[in-house]
Short mmCIF file of all heavy atoms in Angstrom, two decimals:
data_model
loop_
_atom_site.label_atom_id
_atom_site.label_comp_id
_atom_site.label_asym_id
_atom_site.label_seq_id
_atom_site.Cartn_x
_atom_site.Cartn_y
_atom_site.Cartn_z
N THR R 32 -98.25 -41.95 69.80
CA THR R 32 -97.92 -42.18 71.21
C THR R 32 -98.01 -40.85 71.98
O THR R 32 -98.07 -40.86 73.18
CB THR R 32 -96.52 -42.74 71.36
OG1 THR R 32 -95.60 -41.86 70.67
CG2 THR R 32 -96.44 -44.13 70.81
N ARG R 33 -97.89 -39.73 71.24
CA ARG R 33 -97.96 -38.42 71.86
C ARG R 33 -98.22 -37.45 70.72
O ARG R 33 -98.30 -37.88 69.54
CB ARG R 33 -96.67 -38.06 72.57
CG ARG R 33 -95.41 -38.09 71.68
CD ARG R 33 -94.14 -38.04 72.45
NE ARG R 33 -93.88 -39.25 73.13
CZ ARG R 33 -93.33 -39.33 74.35
NH1 ARG R 33 -92.99 -38.24 74.98
NH2 ARG R 33 -93.11 -40.49 74.91
N ASN R 34 -98.29 -36.16 70.95
CA ASN R 34 -98.50 -35.18 69.88
C ASN R 34 -97.51 -35.48 68.77
O ASN R 34 -96.30 -35.57 69.02
CB ASN R 34 -98.29 -33.79 70.47
CG ASN R 34 -98.56 -32.71 69.45
OD1 ASN R 34 -98.07 -32.73 68.34
ND2 ASN R 34 -99.38 -31.76 69.81
N GLY R 37 -94.38 -33.74 68.75
CA GLY R 37 -93.47 -33.89 69.86
C GLY R 37 -94.16 -33.55 71.19
O GLY R 37 -95.39 -33.50 71.24
N GLY R 38 -93.39 -33.35 72.21
CA GLY R 38 -93.99 -32.99 73.48
C GLY R 38 -94.19 -34.22 74.39
O GLY R 38 -93.93 -35.31 74.05
N ALA R 39 -94.73 -33.86 75.61
CA ALA R 39 -94.87 -34.95 76.61
C ALA R 39 -96.08 -35.79 76.35
O ALA R 39 -97.05 -35.33 75.75
CB ALA R 39 -95.00 -34.27 77.98
N ALA R 40 -96.00 -37.04 76.73
CA ALA R 40 -97.14 -37.98 76.58
C ALA R 40 -97.99 -37.96 77.80
O ALA R 40 -97.49 -37.70 78.90
CB ALA R 40 -96.63 -39.38 76.29
N HIS R 66 -97.57 -45.15 66.63
CA HIS R 66 -96.67 -44.40 65.74
C HIS R 66 -95.90 -43.33 66.55
O HIS R 66 -96.48 -42.55 67.26
CB HIS R 66 -97.49 -43.73 64.64
CG HIS R 66 -96.67 -43.31 63.41
ND1 HIS R 66 -95.61 -42.46 63.53
CD2 HIS R 66 -96.79 -43.64 62.11
CE1 HIS R 66 -95.09 -42.28 62.31
NE2 HIS R 66 -95.80 -42.98 61.44
N ALA R 67 -94.58 -43.34 66.38
CA ALA R 67 -93.75 -42.36 67.00
C ALA R 67 -94.03 -40.96 66.44
O ALA R 67 -94.46 -40.88 65.31
CB ALA R 67 -92.26 -42.74 66.82
N PRO R 68 -93.76 -39.89 67.18
CA PRO R 68 -93.98 -38.54 66.64
C PRO R 68 -93.06 -38.32 65.43
O PRO R 68 -91.95 -38.87 65.35
CB PRO R 68 -93.66 -37.60 67.82
CG PRO R 68 -92.87 -38.46 68.76
CD PRO R 68 -93.29 -39.86 68.57
N TYR R 69 -93.53 -37.44 64.52
CA TYR R 69 -92.75 -37.13 63.32
C TYR R 69 -91.47 -36.41 63.63
O TYR R 69 -90.49 -36.45 62.87
CB TYR R 69 -93.56 -36.23 62.37
CG TYR R 69 -94.76 -36.83 61.77
CD1 TYR R 69 -95.93 -36.12 61.59
CD2 TYR R 69 -94.75 -38.13 61.36
CE1 TYR R 69 -97.04 -36.67 61.02
CE2 TYR R 69 -95.85 -38.76 60.77
CZ TYR R 69 -96.99 -37.98 60.58
OH TYR R 69 -98.10 -38.55 60.01
N THR R 70 -91.41 -35.75 64.78
CA THR R 70 -90.21 -34.99 65.17
C THR R 70 -89.08 -35.87 65.67
O THR R 70 -88.01 -35.38 65.93
CB THR R 70 -90.57 -33.97 66.28
OG1 THR R 70 -91.36 -34.66 67.24
CG2 THR R 70 -91.35 -32.79 65.74
N LEU R 71 -89.38 -37.18 65.82
CA LEU R 71 -88.36 -38.09 66.28
C LEU R 71 -87.36 -38.32 65.12
O LEU R 71 -87.68 -38.93 64.12
CB LEU R 71 -88.99 -39.39 66.72
CG LEU R 71 -88.14 -40.44 67.47
CD1 LEU R 71 -89.02 -41.29 68.34
CD2 LEU R 71 -87.38 -41.30 66.50
N ASN R 72 -86.12 -37.78 65.24
CA ASN R 72 -85.14 -37.92 64.20
C ASN R 72 -83.84 -38.38 64.80
O ASN R 72 -83.01 -37.56 65.25
CB ASN R 72 -84.94 -36.62 63.42
CG ASN R 72 -84.01 -36.84 62.27
OD1 ASN R 72 -83.63 -37.93 61.94
ND2 ASN R 72 -83.57 -35.71 61.64
N VAL R 80 -81.42 -32.86 69.03
CA VAL R 80 -82.45 -33.57 68.25
C VAL R 80 -82.31 -35.08 68.45
O VAL R 80 -83.32 -35.80 68.65
CB VAL R 80 -82.29 -33.21 66.73
CG1 VAL R 80 -83.23 -34.06 65.87
CG2 VAL R 80 -82.63 -31.75 66.51
N ARG R 81 -81.11 -35.57 68.46
CA ARG R 81 -80.86 -37.02 68.59
C ARG R 81 -81.20 -37.45 70.03
O ARG R 81 -81.76 -38.55 70.28
CB ARG R 81 -79.41 -37.36 68.32
CG ARG R 81 -79.03 -37.14 66.87
CD ARG R 81 -77.71 -37.83 66.50
NE ARG R 81 -76.63 -37.41 67.34
CZ ARG R 81 -75.77 -36.41 67.08
NH1 ARG R 81 -75.95 -35.76 65.94
NH2 ARG R 81 -74.79 -36.10 67.85
N GLU R 82 -80.90 -36.58 71.01
CA GLU R 82 -81.27 -36.90 72.39
C GLU R 82 -82.74 -36.95 72.64
O GLU R 82 -83.26 -37.84 73.33
CB GLU R 82 -80.60 -35.92 73.37
CG GLU R 82 -79.12 -36.19 73.57
CD GLU R 82 -78.32 -34.96 74.00
OE1 GLU R 82 -78.98 -33.97 74.47
OE2 GLU R 82 -77.11 -34.98 73.92
N PHE R 83 -83.49 -36.06 71.99
CA PHE R 83 -84.95 -36.11 72.05
C PHE R 83 -85.45 -37.40 71.45
O PHE R 83 -86.32 -38.05 72.01
CB PHE R 83 -85.57 -34.93 71.35
CG PHE R 83 -87.09 -35.04 71.16
CD1 PHE R 83 -87.92 -34.69 72.20
CD2 PHE R 83 -87.62 -35.50 69.99
CE1 PHE R 83 -89.31 -34.83 72.07
CE2 PHE R 83 -88.99 -35.63 69.82
CZ PHE R 83 -89.83 -35.28 70.87
N ALA R 84 -84.92 -37.82 70.31
CA ALA R 84 -85.38 -39.07 69.65
C ALA R 84 -85.14 -40.25 70.58
O ALA R 84 -86.02 -41.08 70.77
CB ALA R 84 -84.56 -39.24 68.35
N GLU R 85 -83.96 -40.30 71.19
CA GLU R 85 -83.63 -41.46 72.00
C GLU R 85 -84.51 -41.51 73.29
O GLU R 85 -85.05 -42.56 73.64
CB GLU R 85 -82.16 -41.36 72.42
CG GLU R 85 -81.64 -42.57 73.13
CD GLU R 85 -80.12 -42.62 73.24
OE1 GLU R 85 -79.45 -42.11 72.33
OE2 GLU R 85 -79.62 -43.21 74.23
N ALA R 86 -84.64 -40.33 73.91
CA ALA R 86 -85.47 -40.30 75.16
C ALA R 86 -86.92 -40.62 74.84
O ALA R 86 -87.59 -41.32 75.62
CB ALA R 86 -85.33 -38.90 75.81
N THR R 87 -87.40 -40.09 73.72
CA THR R 87 -88.83 -40.36 73.35
C THR R 87 -89.04 -41.84 73.05
O THR R 87 -90.05 -42.41 73.49
CB THR R 87 -89.17 -39.50 72.08
OG1 THR R 87 -89.03 -38.14 72.43
CG2 THR R 87 -90.61 -39.76 71.64
N MET R 88 -88.17 -42.47 72.30
CA MET R 88 -88.38 -43.87 71.98
C MET R 88 -88.30 -44.71 73.21
O MET R 88 -89.08 -45.65 73.42
CB MET R 88 -87.37 -44.34 70.91
CG MET R 88 -87.77 -45.74 70.41
SD MET R 88 -86.71 -46.36 69.08
CE MET R 88 -87.26 -45.41 67.70
N LYS R 89 -87.36 -44.45 74.08
CA LYS R 89 -87.29 -45.18 75.36
C LYS R 89 -88.58 -45.07 76.16
O LYS R 89 -89.15 -46.04 76.60
CB LYS R 89 -86.11 -44.70 76.19
CG LYS R 89 -84.77 -45.16 75.75
CD LYS R 89 -83.65 -44.53 76.59
CE LYS R 89 -82.27 -44.89 76.05
NZ LYS R 89 -81.17 -44.20 76.77
N ASP R 90 -89.04 -43.83 76.30
CA ASP R 90 -90.25 -43.58 77.05
C ASP R 90 -91.44 -44.26 76.41
O ASP R 90 -92.29 -44.90 77.09
CB ASP R 90 -90.47 -42.03 77.12
CG ASP R 90 -91.62 -41.69 78.05
OD1 ASP R 90 -91.71 -42.23 79.14
OD2 ASP R 90 -92.50 -40.86 77.62
N ASP R 91 -91.53 -44.17 75.09
CA ASP R 91 -92.64 -44.83 74.39
C ASP R 91 -92.63 -46.32 74.62
O ASP R 91 -93.70 -46.94 74.89
CB ASP R 91 -92.57 -44.55 72.85
CG ASP R 91 -93.08 -43.15 72.50
OD1 ASP R 91 -93.72 -42.50 73.33
OD2 ASP R 91 -92.86 -42.76 71.33
N LEU R 92 -91.48 -46.94 74.52
CA LEU R 92 -91.40 -48.44 74.67
C LEU R 92 -91.71 -48.84 76.08
O LEU R 92 -92.37 -49.87 76.30
CB LEU R 92 -90.05 -48.93 74.23
CG LEU R 92 -89.79 -48.89 72.74
CD1 LEU R 92 -88.36 -49.37 72.38
CD2 LEU R 92 -90.82 -49.67 71.93
N LEU R 93 -91.30 -48.03 77.05
CA LEU R 93 -91.60 -48.36 78.45
C LEU R 93 -93.15 -48.28 78.66
O LEU R 93 -93.75 -49.16 79.25
CB LEU R 93 -90.88 -47.43 79.39
CG LEU R 93 -89.37 -47.68 79.50
CD1 LEU R 93 -88.69 -46.56 80.29
CD2 LEU R 93 -89.04 -49.05 80.15
N ARG R 94 -93.76 -47.19 78.13
CA ARG R 94 -95.17 -46.98 78.34
C ARG R 94 -96.00 -48.06 77.63
O ARG R 94 -97.06 -48.49 78.05
CB ARG R 94 -95.59 -45.61 77.80
CG ARG R 94 -95.07 -44.47 78.72
CD ARG R 94 -94.89 -43.21 77.90
NE ARG R 94 -96.07 -42.94 77.08
CZ ARG R 94 -97.17 -42.34 77.57
NH1 ARG R 94 -97.21 -41.90 78.78
NH2 ARG R 94 -98.20 -42.19 76.80
N TYR R 103 -94.65 -50.83 67.28
CA TYR R 103 -94.28 -49.42 67.36
C TYR R 103 -93.55 -49.07 66.10
O TYR R 103 -92.47 -49.65 65.80
CB TYR R 103 -93.36 -49.25 68.60
CG TYR R 103 -92.85 -47.85 68.82
CD1 TYR R 103 -93.66 -46.81 69.21
CD2 TYR R 103 -91.47 -47.57 68.68
CE1 TYR R 103 -93.19 -45.53 69.45
CE2 TYR R 103 -90.96 -46.31 68.94
CZ TYR R 103 -91.82 -45.28 69.33
OH TYR R 103 -91.34 -44.04 69.54
N MET R 125 -78.46 -45.56 67.93
CA MET R 125 -79.57 -45.20 68.86
C MET R 125 -80.40 -46.41 69.21
O MET R 125 -80.75 -46.64 70.38
CB MET R 125 -80.45 -44.11 68.28
CG MET R 125 -81.53 -43.70 69.30
SD MET R 125 -83.06 -43.00 68.60
CE MET R 125 -83.78 -44.45 67.85
N VAL R 129 -81.28 -47.81 72.87
CA VAL R 129 -82.70 -47.84 73.36
C VAL R 129 -83.02 -49.22 73.84
O VAL R 129 -83.55 -49.41 74.98
CB VAL R 129 -83.67 -47.42 72.20
CG1 VAL R 129 -85.08 -47.80 72.55
CG2 VAL R 129 -83.56 -45.94 71.96
N VAL R 133 -83.94 -50.03 77.73
CA VAL R 133 -85.33 -50.44 78.02
C VAL R 133 -85.27 -51.86 78.59
O VAL R 133 -85.98 -52.16 79.61
CB VAL R 133 -86.21 -50.39 76.77
CG1 VAL R 133 -87.55 -51.03 77.01
CG2 VAL R 133 -86.43 -48.92 76.35
#
Side-chain angles (χ1 to χ4, degrees):
T32 54
R33 61 191 71 218
N34 185 309
H66 197 303
Y69 293 143
T70 45
L71 191 153
N72 184 11
V80 171
R81 295 195 302 269
E82 282 156 17
F83 169 80
E85 187 167 330
T87 298
M88 189 177 285
K89 284 177 183 172
D90 186 47
D91 282 348
L92 289 179
L93 288 170
R94 291 154 46 83
Y103 179 70
M125 181 205 72
V129 166
V133 171

